[in-house]
Amino acid sequence: MAEEVEIRGGVAVITGAASGIGTGLARKAIALGMKLVIADVRADQLDAFAATLDGEVLALPTDVRDLKAVEALAEAAWNRFGQVDILFNNAGVMATGFSWEIEPERWQRSMSVNVDGVLNGIRAFVPRLLEAGRPARIVNTASVGGFLPAPLMAPYSVSKAAVVALTESLHFEMQMIGAPIRVSLLAPGPVKSGIFDDPFGPHVDPAARGFVETMRGMLTANGLSPDEFAQRVFEGLAAGNYWLFPQPEAIDPLFERRAASIRDRATPQLLNFSEL
Ligand SMILES: NC(=O)c1ccc[n+]([C@@H]2O[C@H](COP(=O)([O-])OP(=O)(O)OC[C@H]3O[C@@H](n4cnc5c(N)ncnc54)[C@H](O)[C@@H]3O)[C@@H](O)[C@H]2O)c1
């Protein structure tokens, strides 16, 4: 079992940190006495957010789709702070519509940000973390959608299922080589954020519009605040958990239903999002 990571005085790197969950993780990390490297593709929003944080913060505009940019992020983190203790591969995007109507560019964007973005984080940080030889933590953000595929957001379900698989592979690889790096899979349920702010392409299907309205309503009604969510994430990290499901009350019944459907060879039933 790997030793626990350094929290107070340690360094957290957070991608997609200019909005939503990333901001909650950043505030919580600062409150715990961590130093921060925050990254986002939206440079202005990132700078504005960094200015609200009271602590040692390096804010670096970074597109996680670009491996060179993520390597530059890792380089900058070590140059500035000399260590990295927790990496949150958090950046992610939503795309809605019927699978066959979503434009190829938006399908590709979902795969590039949600999957390649996480992989680029792994590629850029793991060799440096191995070289450092200190306990560290990598937290990859999937979604309950990575376990419970849904209609009208196939690029999201597909890409998040890939993150579930990639993260578990990485976990086993770290074990195989005896690395002091622990891996965690973070699967948020509803959290108030900007994830549904820009889910459409040029063609907006009425079904997708209705779906997005439902999802926005569900996030407003049932979503945790990013700060409450981050509190639960850090509790899970402190407990050394691989699976980080900060909202078990909303998710577990749906997991059970899905497991039973597979076990009983029963045709999957449509997920009712109002149950989340
Ligand atoms: N909010 C939820 O209910 C929910 C549920 C399940 C999973 N998630 C996941 O949580 C993570 C955080 O999302 P959120 O809900 O806070 O959404 P959000 O839209 O508020 O924040 C996502 C951030 O990622 C950034 N980003 C997008 N593309 C990027 C890129 N190429 N490079 C760098 N940054 C990029 C955005 O600019 C934004 O600041 C995502 O991976 C999302 O899929 C969220």
Side-chain angles (χ1 to χ4, degrees), residues 117-136:
V118 173
L119 182 57
N120 288 340
I122 292 168
R123 281 186 185 282
F125 282 83
V126 167
R128 289 170 170 90
L129 291 172
L130 290 176
E131 199 189 328
R134 305 170 65 250

Side-chain angles (χ1 to χ4, degrees), residues 21 29 41 58 67 80 96 110 132 145 179-180 182 191 232 237 259:
I21 289 173
V41 74
L58 172 64
L67 176 58
R80 170 75 181 267
T96 59
S110 293
R182 276 200 206 176
V191 180
R232 296 188 188 187
L237 288 174

Side-chain angles (χ1 to χ4, degrees), residues 16 18-21 40-42 62-65 90-93 113 141-143 156 160 188-191 193-195 219:
S19 171
I21 289 173
D40 203 286
V41 74
R42 286 188 265 177
T62 308
D63 186 337
V64 296
R65 292 171 290 189
N90 166 73
V93 292
V113 177
T141 302
S143 166
Y156 195 73
K160 293 300 187 178
V191 180
S193 79
I195 194 77
L219 287 193

Side-chain angles (χ1 to χ4, degrees), residues 15-23 25 39-43 45 61-66 70 89-94 109 112-114 117-118 140-145 156 160 186-197 215 218-219 223-224 226 229 247:
T15 68
S19 171
I21 289 173
T23 63
L25 293 172
D40 203 286
V41 74
R42 286 188 265 177
Q45 201 168 320
T62 308
D63 186 337
V64 296
R65 292 171 290 189
D66 177 357
V70 184
N89 283 315
N90 166 73
V93 292
M94 171 63 66
R109 176 171 176 253
S112 305
V113 177
N114 297 357
V118 173
N140 293 339
T141 302
S143 166
V144 295
Y156 195 73
K160 293 300 187 178
L186 174 58
V191 180
K192 292 182 174 71
S193 79
I195 194 77
F196 277 100
D197 284 358
M215 295 303 280
M218 192 266 294
L219 287 193
L224 283 186
F229 181 78
Q247 295 136 294

Side-chain angles (χ1 to χ4, degrees), residues 1 21 78 86-87 90 104 131 146 149 151 185 193 206 224 230 249 270:
M1 190 68 96
I21 289 173
W78 263 278
I86 309 183
L87 167 65
N90 166 73
E131 199 189 328
L185 189 281
S193 79
L224 283 186
E249 63 286 354
L270 185 61

Side-chain angles (χ1 to χ4, degrees), residues 201-234:
H203 170 79
V204 185
D205 187 274
R209 190 178 293 286
F211 169 73
V212 166
E213 273 163 23
T214 304
M215 295 303 280
R216 284 178 181 154
M218 192 266 294
L219 287 193
T220 306
N222 303 339
L224 283 186
S225 74
D227 290 322
E228 214 177 331
F229 181 78
Q231 169 68 29
R232 296 188 188 187
V233 171
F234 273 88

